[in-house]
Amino acid sequence: RPVNLDVLLSETPALTKTQGNIQHDFDMYAQTLQNEGYQVLRVPHAEPGPFSSYISYNNCLMEQFKREDGTEVKRVFLPQYGVQRLDTMATETWQSIGFEVIPMPLASLAARWGALRCISQWLDRDPRG
């Protein structure tokens, strides 16, 4: 079942304290994609502030493949921030589209404005230094 982020934001005023009007931007992006025929499911998001962490459940790692026996694997390595209500909403959203959720406790990393892809990027080094 799709999660209604607008309800969450109205019930959690601290999440609406962002730079600019980011909610409007997200709404416009979602509408553009829906107009092109895409189904848009939204997950919680909060921009970092001077005393708050960046929370993004879109900054995840997904894998989807078929095993040799033909079974399909759909997994998402999903950040968890220790905010139970938000972590649950994000988990349920990914599960609703058939993904097995592998929780990744990243609250400490997020407090330093890092994210899952930040710690999983390929580092290409020239062998000559």
Side-chain angles (χ1 to χ4, degrees):
R1 86 188 141 81
V3 173
N4 186 340
L5 184 57
D6 298 323
V7 170
L8 173 69
L9 290 173
S10 67
E11 293 174 1
T12 315
L15 292 180
T16 62
K17 295 177 182 173
T18 60
Q19 297 171 347
N21 191 349
I22 282 210
Q23 183 63 46
H24 176 267
D25 293 345
F26 286 154
D27 292 342
M28 295 304 295
Y29 295 139
Q31 188 61 54
T32 298
L33 290 168
Q34 288 169 340
N35 290 346
E36 294 295 320
Y38 291 96
Q39 178 186 11
V40 176
L41 297 179
R42 298 169 94 169
V43 291
H45 172 88
E47 290 290 307
F51 304 104
S52 63
S53 300
Y54 184 81
I55 293 178
S56 174
Y57 296 94
N58 286 326
N59 196 330
C60 59
L61 296 174
M62 298 178 292
E63 65 177 347
Q64 187 170 353
F65 63 92
K66 285 193 179 186
R67 293 189 172 113
E68 288 183 22
D69 67 2
T71 58
E72 185 176 7
V73 174
K74 287 175 68 173
R75 292 185 193 124
V76 60
F77 296 85
L78 188 65
Q80 303 286 285
Y81 298 99
V83 181
Q84 191 60 48
R85 186 170 175 201
L86 301 182
D87 290 346
T88 298
M89 288 178 75
T91 297
E92 289 175 353
T93 299
W94 281 98
Q95 289 172 336
S96 76
I97 54 175
F99 279 83
E100 172 191 0
V101 174
I102 311 296
M104 304 292 294
L106 294 174
S108 295
L109 181 63
R112 292 166 181 80
W113 293 12
L116 184 56
R117 290 194 312 234
C118 297
I119 61 171
S120 61
Q121 291 295 318
W122 180 270
L123 181 58
D124 189 18
R125 294 188 185 213
D126 187 327
R128 296 169 284 178

